[in-house]
Amino acid sequence: MTDTTLDRAVVAITGGGRGIGRAIAEACAARGARVALGDIDAALAEQAARSLGGYGGALDVRDRASFNDFLQTAARRLGPVDVLVNNAGIMPMGPFDTESDALSDAQIDINLRGVILGCKLAVPSMLESGGGHIVNVASLAGVLPLPGAAVYCATKFAVRGLTLSLREEYRDSGIAFSAVLPSKITTDLAAGTEQAGKGVPTASPEDVAAAVINAIEQRLPEVTVPRYLRGLPAMWAAIPHRAERVMRRMFGDRRMLDALDRAARADYDQRMARMARPGN
């Protein structure tokens, strides 16, 4: 894929069974793309793919064999993968000192190592075909660190840095790299944050999907969601530390620690706990 059209392009999406991933798949399919959806929940991926006329299958982004099999099967079923969207991710929230090592490891493995692995597996075939596009869904938490989500923020800072570095490394290869930086999105990841996230710019999965489409079609290095926050990374980097601390206190940035509704978040937390167990 050396042009910017999605018509007939093959787009592989991780975490494609629900939420942001499914919205991205629907947006790409609406533009004529052939979509491959991978998800830890294979049944969800298959169901979503059937409705879009694509391929859906099991994918554990932590496992090289699983990721490679997903991409190879997608290529056999639909054709060579033109676009890879590394979307799969988890977002536990709570005090850093009480977060289990297993849950920290799961975030690093899914949010960061999974993205690295996807890039490593997709780049060789894209180099062979003369081009392609890799979109990594990071977060504005990869620019603006949040108390109560330290390890999550660390993974998203890393994904943003990885994406920008790879964009420069492969700038003459025909492969484009884009980072998409959402704010609070109305999915399960935001469960229980109605009060904790009050006042935080909020967007929908469809808004993220539109940003991914925009990044692909315009080959943008970085897109924020909502788009009006596009100046935030540069602005935040320029704010003096003392001013930042004042702004944080005025905003109440500790609400993720102090006002998180654990009861409303229970189902998501249980799903994350299962993800943190070996073999899941």
Side-chain angles (χ1 to χ4, degrees), residues 22 84 127 134 152 186 225 237:
R22 181 161 183 165
L84 171 64
L127 287 173
I134 296 177
Y152 175 81
T186 53
V225 186

Side-chain angles (χ1 to χ4, degrees), residues 55 58 63-76 121:
Y55 160 69
D63 183 84
R64 173 178 277 269
S66 175
F67 212 143
N68 187 62
D69 182 65
F70 167 67
L71 292 176
Q72 292 297 323
T73 304
R76 287 196 304 271
L121 291 172

Side-chain angles (χ1 to χ4, degrees), residues 14-181:
T14 73
R18 69 176 87 220
I20 293 172
R22 181 161 183 165
I24 293 169
E26 291 171 351
C28 289
R31 293 220 174 12
R34 294 165 287 177
V35 294
L37 283 65
D39 200 284
I40 194 74
D41 189 329
L44 274 181
E46 291 165 3
Q47 180 184 22
R50 278 197 299 272
S51 69
L52 299 173
Y55 160 69
L59 169 61
D60 186 341
V61 298
R62 299 169 291 186
D63 183 84
R64 173 178 277 269
S66 175
F67 212 143
N68 187 62
D69 182 65
F70 167 67
L71 292 176
Q72 292 297 323
T73 304
R76 287 196 304 271
R77 298 276 188 92
L78 305 175
V81 173
D82 300 297
V83 179
L84 171 64
V85 182
N86 284 310
N87 163 72
I90 61 173
M91 186 182 177
M93 287 186 283
F96 172 73
D97 59 299
T98 62
E99 182 175 285
S100 70
D101 291 344
L103 195 52
S104 295
D105 289 344
Q107 291 174 82
I108 295 167
D109 287 343
I110 296 169
N111 297 0
L112 176 56
R113 290 195 180 105
V115 175
I116 293 171
L117 183 55
C119 292
K120 282 186 174 182
L121 291 172
V123 162
S125 62
M126 290 181 179
L127 287 173
E128 185 176 346
S129 65
H133 202 131
I134 296 177
V135 179
N136 295 329
V137 179
S139 172
L140 278 168
V143 176
L144 176 62
L146 300 173
V151 176
Y152 175 81
C153 289
T155 64
K156 295 304 183 177
F157 267 80
V159 167
R160 183 175 182 239
L162 171 77
T163 307
L164 296 176
S165 179
L166 290 175
R167 184 178 178 87
E168 295 309 313
E169 182 170 343
Y170 291 95
R171 64 191 176 204
D172 299 321
S173 69
I175 305 175
F177 290 84
S178 300
V180 174
L181 312 179

